[in-house]
Every structure is written in structure tokens, then in C-alpha cells.
Amino acid sequence: MYKRQALISSFAFGSAQAATVSSLSDSFDSVPSQTNYTSFSNWDVSNGTVDAIQVGNPWGLNCVTGGCVDLDGSTGNAGDLTSKDGFSAGQYTLSFDLSGNQRNSASDGLTVKFGDYEYTFNLASNAVWTTFLISSVNVNEGDKLSFMHAGGDNIGIMLDNVSVSAVPIPAAAFLFAPALLGFMGLRRKAKNSVA
Ligand SMILES: [Ca+2]
Ligand SMILES: [Ca+2]
Ligand SMILES: [Ca+2]
């Protein structure tokens, strides 16, 4: 009986509020080589298009590892790549690899938004693959991670190796632990005296 109640309440919680995650890691290595790709396992595409790229593609584009994303697809309207999952509230470390478009000589603009972090990168076409590491990002419950490419000429900034991880709870939080143990001890004592 108790078990069934627990199941029902967890189901109700699940339907009322989307589940959040506390980490995300994507090397894009399992994407196909496909323009205007929308079937990413971890990402939704909106406001335009992006291309899935595999090393060995006809354009000679390289990724850090096997596959990556050209954030300006092939419809003349660069897309937004947004995590399907929202994140649990807390502090996070975010990292990702970016390169310039590797093709024409124009520079490109990309805004990355996650919690209280928002920054617009302007990368020259020949900017080499670089890892960007952002620590101490404050995230509200349900916030998503977005890569939003500006403009649209089908030739955009390349993205690989996105990683999001929760920052461990600071040691100071454990200061509360002795107080809690003391409280439990008091309760036990009270119970014993009744018996
Ligand atoms: Ca990759
Ligand atoms: Ca493209
Ligand atoms: Ca461009």
C-alpha cells in the first residue's frame, strides 16, 4: 500500500514538472554527416538550422574528434542549439570547443547562454580549435544551455565537446552536519527516557 502511494506521487511529480539533469557531455561523434540536421540526442534546433559534420566530409572541415556541428546550417539562417534537458539549480562548470568557420574569410558571431553566463564570441574564420572553460556558472532550476549563432550565410562557427558538470558542494556545507547529528542524538535520548 505504501509502495503504491510512493509510485503515484512520484508519477504526479514527473508529470507536473520536467526532470532536470546535473551533467551533460557530448562529443557529437555519433552524428551523421548531414546538413540541416535536427535529430541530436541531447539538443533541439530552433530559429534556423545547423549542420552535423563528420571528419572526412566533402568540405574538408575538421572536428576535434570524429564529429562536430557547424552552427550555421544550410538554409541561410543560422540556428540555435539548445539542450533538451534543463539543469537542476546550482553551480556548474561549462566547457566547449570552438573553431572559426574554416571556410570563407568572414568572421562569425556566436552567443552562448547558460544560467547567469552569457557571452558573444566573434571568431575569425581561421580561428583554430580552442577549449573555452567557464567555471562558477549559477543556474536556476530548469535553465538550459544554448549556442545561438548570428546571421546566416551557411558557413558558421564549429562546435565540439560540450561538457557541463555540477560544482561539488563547498566544504562549508558540512559544518551543518555535526548540528544535525547532535539533534538526532537528543531525539534518541528522549525516546530512551520514555521507554
Ligand atoms: Ca567530436
Ligand atoms: Ca553550414
Ligand atoms: Ca558565417
Side-chain angles (χ1 to χ4, degrees):
M1 187 61 193
Y2 174 78
K3 225 171 196 176
R4 182 181 292 176
Q5 269 183 343
L7 269 177
I8 289 168
S9 61
S10 73
F11 175 76
F13 177 79
S15 60
Q17 193 178 341
T20 52
V21 297
S22 57
S23 67
L24 170 63
S25 178
D26 200 335
S27 63
F28 303 103
D29 291 350
S30 59
V31 299
S33 198
Q34 192 175 318
T35 55
N36 306 321
Y37 187 64
T38 56
S39 302
F40 295 96
S41 10
N42 298 319
W43 308 92
D44 291 318
V45 182
S46 59
N47 296 326
T49 54
V50 304
D51 295 329
I53 301 293
Q54 279 286 324
V55 170
N57 56 81
W59 309 282
L61 299 170
N62 66 63
C63 302
V64 178
T65 59
C68 57
V69 180
D70 171 3
L71 291 166
D72 188 349
S74 301
T75 56
N77 184 15
D80 297 349
L81 195 68
T82 301
S83 62
K84 282 189 197 289
D85 291 320
F87 288 81
S88 311
Q91 209 171 55
Y92 288 83
T93 298
L94 164 67
S95 75
F96 47 87
D97 294 344
L98 298 178
S99 89
N101 69 48
Q102 305 180 21
R103 285 156 288 181
N104 65 19
S105 57
S107 63
D108 290 282
L110 169 69
T111 299
V112 182
K113 184 162 173 37
F114 183 47
D116 65 355
Y117 173 78
E118 181 170 352
Y119 188 80
T120 299
F121 294 82
N122 286 291
L123 294 188
S125 59
N126 63 354
V128 296
W129 280 109
T130 303
T131 300
F132 295 91
L133 176 69
I134 299 102
S135 52
S136 306
V137 179
N138 293 303
V139 168
N140 291 321
E141 184 73 16
D143 282 352
K144 296 183 173 184
L145 165 62
S146 285
F147 296 88
M148 301 172 284
H149 201 290
D153 61 0
N154 298 343
I155 293 174
I157 289 173
M158 310 281 290
L159 172 71
D160 205 346
N161 294 328
V162 178
S163 174
V164 179
S165 56
V167 175
I169 297 163
F174 291 107
L175 288 173
F176 292 105
L180 183 64
L181 285 174
F183 172 71
M184 286 167 71
L186 279 177
R187 274 175 60 104
R188 205 171 303 139
K189 240 182 217 168
K191 208 174 172 188
N192 284 346
S193 67
V194 169

